[in-house]
Amino acid sequence: MNKATFAAGCFWGVEATFRRVSGVVATQVGYMGGWKERPTYEEVCSKATGHAEVVEITFDPAVVSYDELLQVFWDCHDPTQLNRQGPDIGTNYRSAIFCHSSAQEAAACASRDREQNSGRHSRPIVTEITAAGAFWRAEEYHQQYLEKHSGSCHW
């Protein structure tokens, strides 16, 4: 099994999107890319920790490739919005790919370039591509939130 970590706005909807992908065997939401250890949701939302809301994905590469997951990532949000997605505003809602290896970084950069040149976006892609750091699992009530509450996000 391999891991992939993406930030694409509110983690509830992003997690629900990836859970529907064949080959994704597990997901968990949390925080990455900041400087505070063990941040809480309230701290991350205060924009004082530098973290993004992320989804950590465990996937079977024999069923789904990292490139296919990257395409789901590009399709599930607007990567041209800096530090926001829809009505959610702040660095915690930024678009980011957190890479777990140099191969993932190369694939992410190539994928971003293909996406930028696809003609689908009228503005430049602002997605951050960086090495994965510490993953801090979000509070339990955030895990699979939309499944637990039969809800949907604004996306």
Side-chain angles (χ1 to χ4, degrees), residues 2 5 9 15 19 22 28-29 31-32 57 59 63-64 81 105 110 116 128-129 135 154-155:
N2 289 351
T5 305
E15 181 185 35
R19 288 182 63 74
S22 180
Q28 58 180 342
V29 298
Y31 317 112
M32 188 176 282
I57 299 157
F59 67 99
V63 179
V64 63
Q81 292 188 355
E105 181 179 11
Q116 185 65 68
E128 169 187 332
I129 299 174
F135 172 82
H154 47 271
W155 288 103

Side-chain angles (χ1 to χ4, degrees), residues 80 111-126:
T80 69
S111 176
R112 178 204 52 217
D113 294 347
R114 282 191 307 273
E115 187 68 19
Q116 185 65 68
N117 294 323
S118 71
R120 290 184 358 148
H121 308 286
S122 60
R123 297 178 307 214
I125 289 175
V126 296

Side-chain angles (χ1 to χ4, degrees), residues 19-52:
R19 288 182 63 74
R20 293 190 293 267
V21 175
S22 180
V24 170
V25 297
T27 60
Q28 58 180 342
V29 298
Y31 317 112
M32 188 176 282
W35 50 84
K36 185 177 188 312
E37 291 189 14
R38 295 174 193 69
T40 66
Y41 181 69
E42 290 75 19
E43 290 170 330
V44 171
C45 288
S46 78
K47 299 164 187 62
T49 70
H51 289 87

Side-chain angles (χ1 to χ4, degrees), residues 13-155:
V14 179
E15 181 185 35
T17 297
F18 279 102
R19 288 182 63 74
R20 293 190 293 267
V21 175
S22 180
V24 170
V25 297
T27 60
Q28 58 180 342
V29 298
Y31 317 112
M32 188 176 282
W35 50 84
K36 185 177 188 312
E37 291 189 14
R38 295 174 193 69
T40 66
Y41 181 69
E42 290 75 19
E43 290 170 330
V44 171
C45 288
S46 78
K47 299 164 187 62
T49 70
H51 289 87
E53 292 188 18
V54 300
V55 178
E56 183 183 78
I57 299 157
T58 303
F59 67 99
D60 182 346
V63 179
V64 63
S65 70
Y66 184 67
D67 283 333
E68 290 170 310
L69 294 176
L70 286 165
Q71 193 57 57
V72 172
F73 168 79
W74 298 121
D75 292 344
C76 80
H77 78 299
D78 181 352
T80 69
Q81 292 188 355
L82 183 62
N83 297 329
R84 74 175 298 158
Q85 284 299 300
D88 296 327
I89 300 171
T91 56
N92 53 313
Y93 297 116
R94 67 188 179 267
S95 174
I97 301 168
F98 293 95
C99 304
H100 294 269
S101 67
S102 58
Q104 281 191 356
E105 181 179 11
C109 289
S111 176
R112 178 204 52 217
D113 294 347
R114 282 191 307 273
E115 187 68 19
Q116 185 65 68
N117 294 323
S118 71
R120 290 184 358 148
H121 308 286
S122 60
R123 297 178 307 214
I125 289 175
V126 296
T127 302
E128 169 187 332
I129 299 174
T130 190
F135 172 82
W136 304 103
R137 183 177 163 90
E139 297 80 354
E140 191 57 38
Y141 71 93
H142 289 295
Q143 307 300 323
Q144 300 171 29
Y145 184 89
L146 295 181
E147 290 177 24
K148 293 175 185 174
H149 296 91
S150 301
S152 65
C153 281
H154 47 271
W155 288 103

